[in-house]
Structure formats: structure tokens, C-alpha cells
């Protein structure tokens, strides 16, 4: 009987230690995942020379390294100034039920999932880089609006 209680006590202590060490390991793993998540975000130079995250213009969510915006580009790629529709990122365009608000950066109105942002894409020939300027949504820069910044 004495041996049974000794084995039971040792088994209990071993089980408690196992779950404590497992909990510490999982906590350390989650801390490492959070650190790696910040490292995997896309970065770009800001206007003042620092580094900032690349964000979706519709939902303002930071984009990870493998994530790109969904867009439609018009006219051939040889033209330096093109019209472009920005549909969104994987967070706000593909899933309609995630509850992320899509806001136009120009007029600050809500943009439905079926809608888009109108933008201008500039293809720089000297360094082969692309530059995008958002001109608005169809409500503030649509076909009935006459503005020098909106392409027709």
C-alpha cells in the first residue's frame, strides 16, 4: 500500500511538471510567432525617410510579405500613365464576412466589397519602379465627376 502511494505521488508530480513545461513552451512559441509576424510584414520608405508598413488603401491592414493587392490595370504596359482599379487585399476583398471596414481614403465613405478604388499607375522608365496614386472611389471620382485628377 505504501508503494502505491509513492508511485501515485511520483506520477502526479511528473504529470504536473509535464503540463507546466508544455505551457511554458507554448507561451514561448506564441511570443516567437508574434515577433516573426512583425518581421514578415512588408516595409516601405516613408516621406520623412523612415520605414513604415505597406498597408491596404481600403482597410488599412498591414500586408505580409506574400500578400498583394487585387487590382485591374487598363491600357498597355508601355504607357507611362495608366488607369487602375484597386479591389482590395486578401483581408478585405476575398472574404465578405470578416467585418473589416473598407473606407475610401479620399471621401472617407464606406466602399462595398463589390466596388473598388480608382487609381493612377505610373511606370517609371528610368528605374523600372511603379508608383500608384489613389484618386478616389466611384462615388467621389466616378464617371460623372469632372476633376483634373480623375482620368476619363
Amino acid at each position: 500500500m505504501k508503494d502505491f502511494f509513492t508511485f501515485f505521488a511520483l506520477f502526479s508530480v511528473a504529470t504536473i511538471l509535464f503540463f507546466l513545461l508544455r505551457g511554458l513552451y507554448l507561451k514561448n512559441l506564441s511570443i516567437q510567432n508574434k515577433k516573426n509576424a512583425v518581421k514578415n510584414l512588408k516595409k516601405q520608405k516613408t516621406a520623412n525617410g523612415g520605414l513604415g508598413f505597406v498597408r491596404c488603401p481600403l482597410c488599412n491592414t498591414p500586408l505580409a510579405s506574400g500578400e498583394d493587392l487585387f487590382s485591374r490595370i487598363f491600357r498597355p504596359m508601355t504607357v507611362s500613365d495608366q488607369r487602375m482599379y484597386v479591389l482590395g487585399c486578401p483581408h478585405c476583398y476575398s472574404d465578405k464576412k470578416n467585418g473589416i471596414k473598407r473606407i475610401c481614403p479620399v471621401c472617407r465613405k464606406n466602399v462595398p466589397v463589390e466596388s473598388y478604388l480608382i487609381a493612377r499607375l505610373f511606370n517609371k522608365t528610368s528605374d523600372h519602379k511603379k508608383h500608384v496614386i489613389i484618386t478616389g472611389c466611384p462615388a467621389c471620382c466616378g464617371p460623372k465627376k469632372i476633376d483634373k485628377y480623375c482620368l476619363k
Side-chain angles (χ1 to χ4, degrees), residues 61-122:
T61 305
L63 299 176
S65 297
E67 296 176 337
D68 291 322
L69 291 176
F70 296 104
S71 60
R72 303 287 181 263
I73 300 173
F74 302 98
R75 295 190 208 150
M77 290 299 289
T78 56
V79 180
S80 63
D81 184 9
Q82 297 173 284
R83 187 176 180 137
M84 175 177 160
Y85 288 168
V86 178
L87 302 171
C89 68
H91 303 282
C92 67
Y93 178 65
S94 61
D95 190 11
K96 298 179 182 180
K97 301 174 186 172
N98 57 8
I100 293 178
K101 292 185 180 180
R102 295 166 42 105
I103 307 291
C104 174
V106 177
C107 66
R108 301 286 182 214
K109 292 182 181 175
N110 190 20
V111 178
V113 177
E114 301 82 26
S115 190
Y116 50 86
L117 291 178
I118 301 169
R120 294 174 69 184
L121 173 67
F122 297 98

Side-chain angles (χ1 to χ4, degrees), residues 17-99:
L17 282 175
F18 172 75
F19 282 109
L20 283 175
L21 290 175
R22 182 178 175 267
L24 289 174
Y25 173 75
L26 291 177
K27 183 172 182 167
N28 188 25
L29 188 64
S30 70
I31 290 171
Q32 290 297 325
N33 284 343
K34 286 179 185 176
K35 287 180 183 177
N36 288 338
V38 172
K39 286 181 186 177
N40 290 336
L41 292 177
K42 286 184 181 178
K43 294 180 179 76
Q44 68 182 2
K45 288 185 180 179
T46 58
N48 60 4
L51 284 178
F53 296 123
V54 176
R55 295 182 176 271
C56 174
L58 278 163
C59 66
N60 204 26
T61 305
L63 299 176
S65 297
E67 296 176 337
D68 291 322
L69 291 176
F70 296 104
S71 60
R72 303 287 181 263
I73 300 173
F74 302 98
R75 295 190 208 150
M77 290 299 289
T78 56
V79 180
S80 63
D81 184 9
Q82 297 173 284
R83 187 176 180 137
M84 175 177 160
Y85 288 168
V86 178
L87 302 171
C89 68
H91 303 282
C92 67
Y93 178 65
S94 61
D95 190 11
K96 298 179 182 180
K97 301 174 186 172
N98 57 8

Side-chain angles (χ1 to χ4, degrees), residues 125-142:
T125 55
S126 60
D127 52 3
H128 302 291
K129 291 188 177 181
K130 297 180 186 331
H131 182 70
V132 176
I133 296 177
I134 305 290
T135 57
C137 64
C140 64
C141 190

